Structures are given as C-alpha cells and as structure tokens.
Amino acid sequence: MADMDTALKEIMEIDGCIGVALVDHTSGMALGTLGGGKELDLTVAAAGNTDVVRAKLRAMEMLNLSEKIEDILITLDTQYHMIRPLTSRSGKGLFLYVALRRDRANLAMSRHQLRRIENDLDV
C-alpha cells in the first residue's frame, strides 16, 4: 500500500503529467498536491473540480443510476484533465485530479496507470 505522497509522486511520473491533487469533494480542499506551478494552480483546480464531481453525482442520483464513476475526463485544446473518485472505504469522499499535456500523454495508458496507483493508495 502506498501513502499519499508516494502515490502523488507516482502519478507525476505518468508521461505528460502537469500536476496532481488529492481532493476532498465535500469541502473542496486539496489534501495533497504535486506539480502545477505557473501552468496550473492546483488549489484553484481542486476547488473548481469539486463542483464538477458534485454535479455529476447529483445528475446520477436524479437518473437513479447506481453505477460508480470510474473517471471524468475533460479535454482541452492542449490538456487532458482527469478526475478519478476513490473507491476504497478509506478514500470515500476523495478524488484524484490529474492534468496532462495532450501532446505527451497517452490517454489510455494514463488511465490504466492511474487506476493501478489508486488501487495501491492507502489514505
């Protein structure tokens, strides 16, 4: 089992990764961040993407969908933004937010690596 800091470092090793945050979607607070910088303010991104997660969960509830969200993908001109709610009991209410450079990232491989890291994460 990997702790939060180790998991964030592993995510930053994904090809094209700009930054990553572990976020509490009830408060919008980032519990941990790595990367970002001038390109991306991860604290602002964490708070803003909390609204995305909340909206999707509300929509699923209104539609009576009992499935779980694997990930939410937002594609921009030059970036991919992936939101992955944690599914473990200890990770309930948390999500990983990852920003990737489109010109360097392999989306399928990035999703695979993120799923593996999430499975090993102990929060």
Side-chain angles (χ1 to χ4, degrees):
M1 287 288 185
D3 65 5
M4 178 185 64
D5 292 332
T6 302
L8 294 179
K9 287 176 187 171
E10 284 184 50
I11 293 168
M12 282 301 296
E13 292 174 5
I14 294 174
D15 198 24
C17 189
I18 300 167
V20 58
L22 179 64
V23 186
D24 176 347
H25 82 66
T26 56
S27 68
M29 296 292 295
L31 305 177
T33 63
L34 199 56
K38 291 179 184 177
E39 291 183 64
L40 181 66
D41 183 333
L42 288 168
T43 306
V44 172
N49 283 291
T50 296
D51 292 335
V52 173
V53 172
R54 289 179 187 159
K56 187 59 189 171
L57 290 171
R58 269 194 315 273
M60 289 179 62
E61 186 178 319
M62 290 187 302
L63 294 168
N64 291 318
L65 295 175
S66 60
E67 297 183 50
K68 293 194 175 23
I69 299 171
E70 237 182 84
D71 53 37
I72 299 168
L73 175 64
I74 300 165
T75 57
L76 305 175
D77 291 340
T78 62
Q79 298 176 4
Y80 295 124
H81 290 212
M82 292 193 316
I83 299 168
R84 185 167 185 89
L86 301 186
T87 57
S88 68
R89 175 175 275 189
S90 64
K92 190 166 177 66
L94 304 177
F95 68 88
L96 286 167
Y97 167 77
V98 182
L100 303 163
R101 287 183 44 190
R102 252 180 110 149
D103 63 347
R104 293 205 31 224
N106 176 319
L107 188 54
M109 183 57 77
S110 299
R111 290 182 70 223
H112 174 72
Q113 289 173 294
L114 190 56
R115 183 176 28 243
R116 180 189 53 77
I117 293 166
E118 180 215 346
N119 287 336
D120 292 339
L121 177 61
D122 184 29
V123 185

